[in-house]
Amino acid sequence: MMKITDAKVIVTCPGRNFVTLKIYTDEDLYGIGDATLNGREKAVVAYLEEHVIPCLIGMQADRIEDIWQYLYRGCYWRRGPVTMTAISAVDMALWDIKGKAAGMPVYQLLGGASRDGVMVYGHANGETLEETVEEVGKYIDMGYKAIRAQTGIPGLPSTYGVSGDKMFYEPANGALPSENVWSTEKYLTHAPKLFERLRETYGDEPHLLHDVHHRLTPIEAARLGKLLEPYRLFWMEDCVAADNQEGLRRVREHTVTPLAIGEIFNSIWNCKTLIEEQLIDYIRATVVHAGGITHLRQIAGFAALHHVRTGCHGATDLSPVCMGAALNFNLWVPNFGIQEYMRHTPETDAVFPHEYSFKDGYLHPGNKPGLGVDIDEKLAAKYPYQRAYLPINRLQDGTMWNW
Protein backbone atom coordinates (compact mmCIF):
# COMPACT_ATOMS: atom_id res chain seq x y z
CA MET A 1 0.00 0.00 0.00
CA MET A 2 1.56 3.25 -1.18
CA LYS A 3 1.00 5.96 1.42
CA ILE A 4 1.18 9.73 1.27
CA THR A 5 4.11 10.92 3.40
CA ASP A 6 4.17 14.64 2.69
CA ALA A 7 2.81 17.42 0.51
CA LYS A 8 3.73 21.02 -0.20
CA VAL A 9 2.44 24.01 -2.12
CA ILE A 10 4.67 25.84 -4.60
CA VAL A 11 3.78 29.37 -5.71
CA THR A 12 5.61 30.86 -8.67
CA CYS A 13 5.14 33.78 -11.06
CA PRO A 14 6.96 33.28 -14.38
CA GLY A 15 4.94 36.08 -15.99
CA ARG A 16 1.78 35.24 -14.04
CA ASN A 17 0.97 33.43 -10.80
CA PHE A 18 0.65 29.65 -10.57
CA VAL A 19 -0.05 27.46 -7.55
CA THR A 20 1.13 23.84 -7.66
CA LEU A 21 0.54 21.05 -5.17
CA LYS A 22 3.21 18.36 -4.89
CA ILE A 23 2.35 15.11 -3.07
CA TYR A 24 5.03 12.64 -1.96
CA THR A 25 4.69 8.91 -1.22
CA ASP A 26 6.67 6.25 0.64
CA GLU A 27 7.59 4.60 -2.68
CA ASP A 28 9.67 7.55 -3.92
CA LEU A 29 6.94 8.63 -6.33
CA TYR A 30 5.44 12.11 -6.34
CA GLY A 31 2.61 13.74 -8.23
CA ILE A 32 1.75 17.34 -9.02
CA GLY A 33 -1.55 19.12 -9.44
CA ASP A 34 -2.57 22.63 -10.52
CA ALA A 35 -4.21 24.73 -7.78
CA THR A 36 -4.32 28.11 -9.53
CA LEU A 37 -7.37 30.34 -9.00
CA ASN A 38 -6.78 33.52 -10.97
CA GLY A 39 -6.75 36.59 -8.71
CA ARG A 40 -7.40 34.52 -5.56
CA GLU A 41 -4.31 32.29 -5.54
CA LYS A 42 -3.41 32.74 -1.87
CA ALA A 43 -6.89 31.65 -0.75
CA VAL A 44 -6.26 28.20 -2.25
CA VAL A 45 -2.75 28.10 -0.80
CA ALA A 46 -4.16 28.63 2.70
CA TYR A 47 -6.94 26.09 2.14
CA LEU A 48 -4.42 23.44 1.09
CA GLU A 49 -1.80 24.15 3.73
CA GLU A 50 -4.12 24.68 6.68
CA HIS A 51 -6.99 22.32 5.95
CA VAL A 52 -6.15 19.68 3.33
CA ILE A 53 -2.52 18.62 3.59
CA PRO A 54 -2.73 17.63 7.29
CA CYS A 55 -5.53 15.22 6.39
CA LEU A 56 -3.63 13.64 3.50
CA ILE A 57 -0.61 12.41 5.46
CA GLY A 58 -0.85 8.64 5.94
CA MET A 59 -3.66 8.14 3.41
CA GLN A 60 -3.33 5.52 0.66
CA ALA A 61 -2.33 7.34 -2.51
CA ASP A 62 -4.09 4.86 -4.78
CA ARG A 63 -7.53 5.46 -3.24
CA ILE A 64 -8.32 8.43 -5.47
CA GLU A 65 -12.12 8.20 -5.35
CA ASP A 66 -12.21 7.73 -1.58
CA ILE A 67 -9.90 10.72 -1.01
CA TRP A 68 -12.04 12.82 -3.36
CA GLN A 69 -15.18 11.94 -1.39
CA TYR A 70 -13.35 12.58 1.90
CA LEU A 71 -12.35 16.09 0.84
CA TYR A 72 -15.74 16.89 -0.70
CA ARG A 73 -18.17 15.37 1.81
CA GLY A 74 -15.90 15.69 4.80
CA CYS A 75 -15.52 19.46 4.77
CA TYR A 76 -19.30 20.08 5.21
CA TRP A 77 -18.97 23.49 3.43
CA ARG A 78 -19.17 21.95 -0.02
CA ARG A 79 -18.25 23.29 -3.43
CA GLY A 80 -17.18 26.82 -4.22
CA PRO A 81 -14.14 27.78 -6.30
CA VAL A 82 -11.57 27.67 -3.47
CA THR A 83 -12.62 24.28 -2.12
CA MET A 84 -13.00 22.68 -5.54
CA THR A 85 -9.70 24.06 -6.83
CA ALA A 86 -7.95 22.55 -3.82
CA ILE A 87 -9.69 19.20 -4.36
CA SER A 88 -8.79 19.36 -8.05
CA ALA A 89 -5.10 19.81 -7.23
CA VAL A 90 -5.11 16.76 -4.96
CA ASP A 91 -6.97 14.72 -7.56
CA MET A 92 -4.55 15.62 -10.37
CA ALA A 93 -1.54 14.81 -8.22
CA LEU A 94 -2.97 11.41 -7.26
CA TRP A 95 -3.73 10.53 -10.88
CA ASP A 96 -0.16 11.58 -11.72
CA ILE A 97 1.15 9.21 -9.04
CA LYS A 98 -1.10 6.36 -10.18
CA GLY A 99 0.08 6.77 -13.77
CA LYS A 100 3.73 6.76 -12.71
CA ALA A 101 3.18 3.66 -10.54
CA ALA A 102 1.54 1.89 -13.49
CA GLY A 103 4.13 3.12 -15.98
CA MET A 104 1.35 4.56 -18.16
CA PRO A 105 0.02 7.96 -19.18
CA VAL A 106 -3.22 8.77 -17.37
CA TYR A 107 -5.35 8.48 -20.52
CA GLN A 108 -4.47 4.77 -20.64
CA LEU A 109 -5.74 4.32 -17.08
CA LEU A 110 -9.00 6.05 -18.03
CA GLY A 111 -9.63 3.53 -20.80
CA GLY A 112 -7.22 4.42 -23.58
CA ALA A 113 -7.35 6.92 -26.42
CA SER A 114 -10.63 7.64 -28.20
CA ARG A 115 -8.85 9.72 -30.88
CA ASP A 116 -5.41 10.34 -32.31
CA GLY A 117 -5.15 13.95 -31.15
CA VAL A 118 -7.04 16.71 -29.36
CA MET A 119 -8.35 19.51 -31.59
CA VAL A 120 -7.60 22.88 -30.02
CA TYR A 121 -8.49 26.48 -30.73
CA GLY A 122 -6.30 29.55 -30.46
CA HIS A 123 -7.11 33.18 -29.65
CA ALA A 124 -6.93 35.80 -32.40
CA ASN A 125 -7.62 39.40 -31.49
CA GLY A 126 -7.14 42.92 -32.74
CA GLU A 127 -8.11 46.50 -32.03
CA THR A 128 -9.87 46.73 -35.39
CA LEU A 129 -11.72 44.38 -37.73
CA GLU A 130 -8.80 44.49 -40.15
CA GLU A 131 -6.26 43.60 -37.48
CA THR A 132 -8.39 40.73 -36.15
CA VAL A 133 -8.90 39.31 -39.64
CA GLU A 134 -5.13 39.39 -40.12
CA GLU A 135 -4.52 37.68 -36.78
CA VAL A 136 -6.97 34.89 -37.63
CA GLY A 137 -4.93 34.31 -40.77
CA LYS A 138 -1.77 33.92 -38.69
CA TYR A 139 -3.40 31.18 -36.62
CA ILE A 140 -4.55 29.40 -39.78
CA ASP A 141 -0.95 29.57 -41.04
CA MET A 142 0.22 27.98 -37.77
CA GLY A 143 -2.04 25.02 -38.48
CA TYR A 144 -5.02 25.79 -36.27
CA LYS A 145 -8.33 24.42 -37.52
CA ALA A 146 -10.32 26.43 -34.95
CA ILE A 147 -9.83 30.05 -33.88
CA ARG A 148 -11.58 32.25 -31.35
CA ALA A 149 -11.94 35.79 -32.70
CA GLN A 150 -12.31 38.94 -30.57
CA THR A 151 -12.14 42.54 -31.75
CA GLY A 152 -12.09 46.02 -30.31
CA ILE A 153 -15.34 48.00 -30.34
CA PRO A 154 -15.40 51.56 -31.70
CA GLY A 155 -16.11 54.02 -28.91
CA LEU A 156 -14.83 51.76 -26.10
CA PRO A 157 -11.26 52.26 -24.83
CA SER A 158 -10.72 48.55 -24.11
CA THR A 159 -12.50 45.27 -24.80
CA TYR A 160 -12.25 41.81 -23.24
CA GLY A 161 -10.01 39.47 -25.22
CA VAL A 162 -8.08 42.22 -27.01
CA SER A 163 -4.48 42.84 -25.97
CA GLY A 164 -1.17 44.10 -27.29
CA ASP A 165 0.36 40.66 -26.74
CA LYS A 166 -1.24 38.45 -29.38
CA MET A 167 0.14 35.11 -28.19
CA PHE A 168 0.27 35.23 -24.37
CA TYR A 169 -2.85 37.17 -23.37
CA GLU A 170 -3.06 37.68 -19.61
CA PRO A 171 -5.99 39.74 -18.28
CA ALA A 172 -4.85 39.79 -14.61
CA ASN A 173 -2.91 42.99 -15.08
CA GLY A 174 -2.66 45.00 -11.89
CA ALA A 175 -1.97 45.01 -8.15
CA LEU A 176 -5.51 46.41 -7.90
CA PRO A 177 -8.34 45.80 -10.39
CA SER A 178 -8.28 47.90 -13.54
CA GLU A 179 -11.61 49.16 -14.89
CA ASN A 180 -13.12 48.52 -18.31
CA VAL A 181 -16.12 50.30 -19.83
CA TRP A 182 -18.88 48.37 -21.59
CA SER A 183 -21.69 49.17 -24.04
CA THR A 184 -23.99 46.35 -25.10
CA GLU A 185 -25.46 48.50 -27.87
CA LYS A 186 -22.07 49.19 -29.48
CA TYR A 187 -21.06 45.54 -29.13
CA LEU A 188 -24.21 44.09 -30.71
CA THR A 189 -23.83 46.45 -33.65
CA HIS A 190 -20.15 45.70 -34.23
CA ALA A 191 -19.46 42.03 -33.37
CA PRO A 192 -21.42 40.45 -36.27
CA LYS A 193 -19.40 42.53 -38.75
CA LEU A 194 -16.26 40.68 -37.66
CA PHE A 195 -17.62 37.27 -38.56
CA GLU A 196 -19.02 38.52 -41.84
CA ARG A 197 -15.50 39.68 -42.74
CA LEU A 198 -13.91 36.43 -41.56
CA ARG A 199 -16.18 34.26 -43.69
CA GLU A 200 -15.65 36.54 -46.69
CA THR A 201 -11.88 36.26 -46.22
CA TYR A 202 -11.36 32.63 -45.19
CA GLY A 203 -14.48 30.83 -46.40
CA ASP A 204 -16.35 28.07 -44.63
CA GLU A 205 -13.50 25.81 -43.56
CA PRO A 206 -12.02 27.25 -40.34
CA HIS A 207 -14.03 26.76 -37.18
CA LEU A 208 -14.79 30.18 -35.70
CA LEU A 209 -15.57 30.77 -32.02
CA HIS A 210 -16.47 33.86 -30.01
CA ASP A 211 -16.53 34.69 -26.29
CA VAL A 212 -19.17 37.14 -25.02
CA HIS A 213 -17.80 36.77 -21.44
CA HIS A 214 -21.09 36.84 -19.53
CA ARG A 215 -22.04 40.36 -20.58
CA LEU A 216 -25.49 40.04 -22.11
CA THR A 217 -28.98 39.45 -20.77
CA PRO A 218 -30.74 36.37 -22.17
CA ILE A 219 -32.76 38.31 -24.75
CA GLU A 220 -29.68 40.26 -25.85
CA ALA A 221 -27.75 37.01 -26.19
CA ALA A 222 -30.60 35.54 -28.22
CA ARG A 223 -30.39 38.50 -30.55
CA LEU A 224 -26.62 38.06 -30.98
CA GLY A 225 -26.98 34.35 -31.63
CA LYS A 226 -29.56 35.09 -34.32
CA LEU A 227 -27.31 37.71 -35.93
CA LEU A 228 -24.38 35.26 -36.00
CA GLU A 229 -26.28 32.34 -37.53
CA PRO A 230 -25.26 33.12 -41.16
CA TYR A 231 -21.59 32.73 -40.17
CA ARG A 232 -21.97 29.24 -38.66
CA LEU A 233 -19.96 29.63 -35.47
CA PHE A 234 -18.53 26.55 -33.80
CA TRP A 235 -19.88 28.11 -30.62
CA MET A 236 -20.90 31.31 -28.85
CA GLU A 237 -19.33 31.18 -25.40
CA ASP A 238 -20.57 32.54 -22.07
CA CYS A 239 -23.27 34.66 -23.68
CA VAL A 240 -24.98 35.22 -20.30
CA ALA A 241 -24.03 34.81 -16.66
CA ALA A 242 -25.23 31.35 -15.69
CA ASP A 243 -25.96 32.02 -12.01
CA ASN A 244 -29.53 31.39 -13.11
CA GLN A 245 -29.31 28.34 -15.38
CA GLU A 246 -32.81 29.08 -16.68
CA GLY A 247 -31.40 32.15 -18.46
CA LEU A 248 -30.00 29.95 -21.23
CA ARG A 249 -33.50 28.73 -22.08
CA ARG A 250 -34.44 32.10 -23.58
CA VAL A 251 -31.29 32.07 -25.71
CA ARG A 252 -31.91 28.52 -26.88
CA GLU A 253 -35.49 29.32 -27.88
CA HIS A 254 -34.37 31.98 -30.35
CA THR A 255 -31.16 30.79 -32.01
CA VAL A 256 -29.46 27.69 -33.41
CA THR A 257 -25.98 29.11 -32.85
CA PRO A 258 -24.27 26.48 -30.64
CA LEU A 259 -23.85 27.55 -27.00
CA ALA A 260 -20.91 26.87 -24.69
CA ILE A 261 -20.51 27.74 -21.03
CA GLY A 262 -18.92 26.57 -17.80
CA GLU A 263 -15.36 27.83 -17.25
CA ILE A 264 -16.29 29.19 -13.81
CA PHE A 265 -18.40 26.15 -12.85
CA ASN A 266 -17.02 24.03 -10.03
CA SER A 267 -19.37 21.04 -9.83
CA ILE A 268 -21.97 19.09 -11.73
CA TRP A 269 -24.67 21.05 -9.86
CA ASN A 270 -23.68 24.26 -11.68
CA CYS A 271 -24.60 22.70 -15.02
CA LYS A 272 -27.23 20.08 -14.14
CA THR A 273 -30.21 21.93 -15.66
CA LEU A 274 -28.20 23.19 -18.64
CA ILE A 275 -27.15 19.65 -19.57
CA GLU A 276 -30.31 17.79 -18.54
CA GLU A 277 -32.55 20.06 -20.62
CA GLN A 278 -30.04 20.38 -23.47
CA LEU A 279 -29.83 24.16 -23.15
CA ILE A 280 -26.14 24.11 -24.15
CA ASP A 281 -24.03 22.23 -26.67
CA TYR A 282 -20.62 22.32 -24.97
CA ILE A 283 -19.70 22.18 -21.29
CA ARG A 284 -16.53 24.16 -20.57
CA ALA A 285 -15.82 23.05 -16.99
CA THR A 286 -12.12 22.51 -16.46
CA VAL A 287 -9.98 20.04 -14.54
CA VAL A 288 -8.57 22.58 -12.09
CA HIS A 289 -11.85 24.19 -11.02
CA ALA A 290 -14.36 21.34 -11.34
CA GLY A 291 -12.97 18.73 -8.98
CA GLY A 292 -10.16 17.27 -11.04
CA ILE A 293 -10.28 14.36 -13.45
CA THR A 294 -12.47 12.35 -11.06
CA HIS A 295 -15.36 14.81 -11.03
CA LEU A 296 -14.96 15.98 -14.61
CA ARG A 297 -15.53 12.38 -15.68
CA GLN A 298 -18.92 12.50 -13.96
CA ILE A 299 -19.83 15.76 -15.67
CA ALA A 300 -18.76 14.41 -19.07
CA GLY A 301 -20.66 11.16 -18.58
CA PHE A 302 -23.83 13.04 -17.67
CA ALA A 303 -23.31 15.36 -20.64
CA ALA A 304 -22.91 12.43 -23.03
CA LEU A 305 -26.41 11.23 -22.17
CA HIS A 306 -27.79 14.57 -23.39
CA HIS A 307 -25.79 15.15 -26.59
CA VAL A 308 -23.52 17.72 -24.91
CA ARG A 309 -19.80 17.65 -25.67
CA THR A 310 -16.77 18.85 -23.73
CA GLY A 311 -14.89 22.07 -24.46
CA CYS A 312 -12.57 22.55 -21.49
CA HIS A 313 -11.34 26.00 -20.55
CA GLY A 314 -7.62 26.41 -21.25
CA ALA A 315 -6.56 29.99 -20.59
CA THR A 316 -3.08 31.09 -19.50
CA ASP A 317 -4.09 31.05 -15.82
CA LEU A 318 -4.32 27.26 -16.03
CA SER A 319 -0.78 25.96 -15.69
CA PRO A 320 0.84 23.36 -17.95
CA VAL A 321 0.02 20.86 -15.19
CA CYS A 322 -3.67 21.45 -15.80
CA MET A 323 -3.16 21.34 -19.56
CA GLY A 324 -1.44 17.97 -19.23
CA ALA A 325 -4.33 16.67 -17.14
CA ALA A 326 -6.90 18.09 -19.56
CA LEU A 327 -5.20 16.53 -22.57
CA ASN A 328 -5.09 13.10 -20.95
CA PHE A 329 -8.79 13.50 -20.16
CA ASN A 330 -9.58 14.82 -23.66
CA LEU A 331 -7.77 12.03 -25.46
CA TRP A 332 -9.96 9.53 -23.63
CA VAL A 333 -13.38 11.19 -23.16
CA PRO A 334 -15.86 9.80 -25.73
CA ASN A 335 -17.94 13.00 -26.11
CA PHE A 336 -15.01 15.33 -26.72
CA GLY A 337 -15.69 18.58 -28.55
CA ILE A 338 -12.63 20.85 -28.49
CA GLN A 339 -9.94 22.15 -26.12
CA GLU A 340 -8.99 25.79 -25.61
CA TYR A 341 -5.24 26.31 -26.01
CA MET A 342 -3.69 29.59 -24.96
CA ARG A 343 0.05 29.17 -25.20
CA HIS A 344 2.20 29.81 -22.16
CA THR A 345 5.26 32.04 -22.17
CA PRO A 346 8.73 30.50 -22.61
CA GLU A 347 9.39 31.27 -18.92
CA THR A 348 6.32 29.27 -17.86
CA ASP A 349 7.19 26.38 -20.17
CA ALA A 350 10.66 26.26 -18.61
CA VAL A 351 9.28 26.12 -15.06
CA PHE A 352 6.84 23.36 -16.09
CA PRO A 353 8.66 21.02 -18.54
CA HIS A 354 6.02 18.97 -20.32
CA GLU A 355 5.53 16.15 -22.75
CA TYR A 356 2.52 17.48 -24.68
CA SER A 357 3.01 18.84 -28.20
CA PHE A 358 1.10 20.71 -30.94
CA LYS A 359 0.90 19.69 -34.58
CA ASP A 360 -1.54 20.58 -37.38
CA GLY A 361 -4.23 21.93 -35.07
CA TYR A 362 -4.05 19.09 -32.55
CA LEU A 363 -2.39 18.57 -29.18
CA HIS A 364 -1.25 15.22 -27.82
CA PRO A 365 -0.36 14.61 -24.14
CA GLY A 366 2.52 12.29 -25.02
CA ASN A 367 3.17 8.86 -23.57
CA LYS A 368 5.15 9.69 -20.45
CA PRO A 369 3.75 7.99 -17.32
CA GLY A 370 1.35 10.13 -15.31
CA LEU A 371 0.26 13.55 -16.53
CA GLY A 372 3.44 14.13 -18.51
CA VAL A 373 4.26 17.44 -16.78
CA ASP A 374 6.80 18.28 -14.05
CA ILE A 375 7.93 21.39 -12.13
CA ASP A 376 11.46 22.77 -11.88
CA GLU A 377 11.40 23.99 -8.28
CA LYS A 378 14.74 25.81 -8.42
CA LEU A 379 13.63 27.78 -11.44
CA ALA A 380 10.18 28.35 -9.94
CA ALA A 381 11.80 29.92 -6.87
CA LYS A 382 13.30 32.64 -9.06
CA TYR A 383 9.80 33.98 -9.81
CA PRO A 384 8.15 35.14 -6.55
CA TYR A 385 4.42 35.71 -6.22
CA GLN A 386 3.07 39.06 -7.42
CA ARG A 387 -0.45 40.08 -6.48
CA ALA A 388 -2.55 40.52 -9.61
CA TYR A 389 -6.27 41.10 -10.07
CA LEU A 390 -8.57 40.51 -13.01
CA PRO A 391 -10.28 43.69 -14.28
CA ILE A 392 -13.75 44.87 -13.38
CA ASN A 393 -16.36 46.21 -15.79
CA ARG A 394 -18.73 49.18 -15.67
CA LEU A 395 -21.40 50.40 -18.05
CA GLN A 396 -20.87 53.81 -19.60
CA ASP A 397 -23.01 55.39 -16.87
CA GLY A 398 -20.80 53.88 -14.16
CA THR A 399 -22.97 50.90 -13.19
CA MET A 400 -21.01 47.79 -12.18
CA TRP A 401 -21.39 45.03 -14.78
CA ASN A 402 -20.03 41.57 -15.49
CA TRP A 403 -16.43 41.56 -16.65
Side-chain angles (χ1 to χ4, degrees):
M1 295 187 299
M2 181 167 39
K3 290 190 176 181
I4 297 171
T5 57
D6 199 6
K8 67 178 179 180
V9 181
I10 304 161
V11 182
T12 184
C13 186
R16 66 108 41 241
N17 292 313
F18 296 108
V19 180
T20 306
L21 175 67
K22 192 170 187 177
I23 295 179
Y24 300 87
T25 69
D26 60 1
E27 295 187 13
D28 293 327
L29 292 176
Y30 68 84
I32 58 175
D34 187 9
T36 308
L37 184 60
N38 199 352
R40 296 293 185 270
E41 295 89 354
K42 288 294 188 74
V44 185
V45 172
Y47 194 99
L48 285 167
E49 291 181 341
E50 300 297 329
H51 305 292
V52 172
I53 289 175
C55 298
L56 295 177
I57 309 305
M59 286 186 167
Q60 290 179 227
D62 60 336
R63 297 186 64 171
I64 298 176
E65 182 67 43
D66 183 65
I67 291 174
W68 195 97
Q69 296 293 338
Y70 179 96
L71 295 175
Y72 180 81
R73 296 177 185 272
C75 72
Y76 187 71
W77 310 106
R78 297 181 185 177
R79 300 193 291 278
V82 174
T83 295
M84 295 305 287
T85 300
I87 292 175
S88 299
V90 174
D91 190 76
M92 276 184 261
L94 294 179
W95 277 105
D96 193 26
I97 291 168
K98 187 177 283 285
K100 291 172 180 175
M104 295 181 181
V106 167
Y107 74 82
Q108 292 287 14
L109 302 181
L110 296 174
S114 296
R115 55 199 51 84
D116 297 326
V118 174
M119 186 171 72
V120 298
Y121 68 91
H123 287 208
N125 71 87
E127 293 287 348
T128 64
L129 294 180
E130 292 75 19
E131 186 180 5
T132 306
V133 171
E134 182 180 345
E135 290 297 320
V136 168
K138 292 179 182 179
Y139 275 88
I140 292 173
D141 291 342
M142 284 189 285
Y144 284 82
K145 302 181 185 306
I147 305 101
R148 191 189 84 167
Q150 310 289 138
T151 190
I153 301 170
L156 298 184
S158 62
T159 307
Y160 166 78
V162 178
S163 71
D165 191 329
K166 301 304 180 189
M167 191 59 66
F168 309 113
Y169 173 61
E170 174 49 59
N173 57 7
L176 289 174
S178 60
E179 292 196 11
N180 290 348
V181 178
W182 177 250
S183 167
T184 297
E185 296 78 11
K186 288 182 171 62
Y187 169 72
L188 289 177
T189 298
H190 193 65
K193 296 176 184 177
L194 171 63
F195 293 94
E196 180 181 20
R197 290 282 298 275
L198 289 173
R199 286 299 180 209
E200 288 174 351
T201 304
Y202 300 113
D204 295 334
E205 188 167 334
H207 297 302
L208 299 176
L209 304 85
H210 182 64
D211 187 358
V212 183
H213 222 248
H214 318 279
R215 295 183 174 181
L216 302 180
T217 65
I219 200 64
E220 291 167 346
R223 175 184 169 193
L224 179 61
K226 197 78 172 175
L227 291 170
L228 293 175
E229 283 179 6
Y231 314 116
R232 300 170 302 285
L233 266 63
F234 188 93
W235 76 35
M236 180 171 68
E237 175 187 343
D238 290 345
C239 60
V240 300
D243 301 324
N244 176 10
Q245 295 184 40
E246 290 287 328
L248 272 294
R249 190 183 312 282
R250 179 66 58 86
V251 186
R252 180 64 107 192
E253 288 171 348
H254 290 281
T255 182
V256 295
T257 294
L259 304 176
I261 203 164
E263 67 185 47
I264 64 171
F265 291 175
N266 53 71
S267 84
I268 197 168
W269 302 105
N270 295 119
C271 52
K272 180 177 180 292
T273 300
L274 298 178
I275 291 173
E276 198 168 45
E277 301 192 20
Q278 301 179 54
L279 302 180
I280 59 173
D281 302 281
Y282 296 90
I283 178 63
R284 301 202 65 249
T286 188
V287 181
V288 69
H289 297 142
I293 291 172
T294 296
H295 194 60
L296 198 57
R297 282 203 299 178
Q298 291 190 7
I299 294 174
F302 183 60
L305 297 178
H306 300 90
H307 309 289
V308 174
R309 292 184 284 179
T310 66
C312 293
H313 184 52
T316 49
D317 60 307
L318 281 61
S319 86
V321 181
C322 182
M323 180 58 73
L327 292 174
N328 275 276
F329 172 83
N330 289 329
L331 199 65
W332 158 76
V333 68
N335 53 319
F336 170 74
I338 199 168
Q339 170 66 51
E340 181 179 19
Y341 178 42
M342 291 186 71
R343 294 170 183 252
H344 291 106
T345 63
E347 293 81 5
T348 296
D349 285 337
V351 169
F352 297 96
H354 52 265
E355 184 80 1
Y356 62 78
S357 59
F358 174 85
K359 183 179 180 181
D360 298 330
Y362 296 88
L363 279 170
H364 194 285
N367 292 301
K368 190 175 181 179
L371 298 178
V373 185
D374 209 339
I375 184 168
D376 183 331
E377 293 190 57
K378 289 184 178 179
L379 188 56
K382 295 181 179 180
Y383 300 103
Y385 169 81
Q386 299 180 37
R387 187 177 69 190
Y389 284 87
L390 291 167
I392 64 169
N393 216 23
R394 293 184 184 273
L395 300 182
Q396 290 181 298
D397 67 359
T399 303
M400 278 294 299
W401 201 244
N402 300 320
W403 176 76

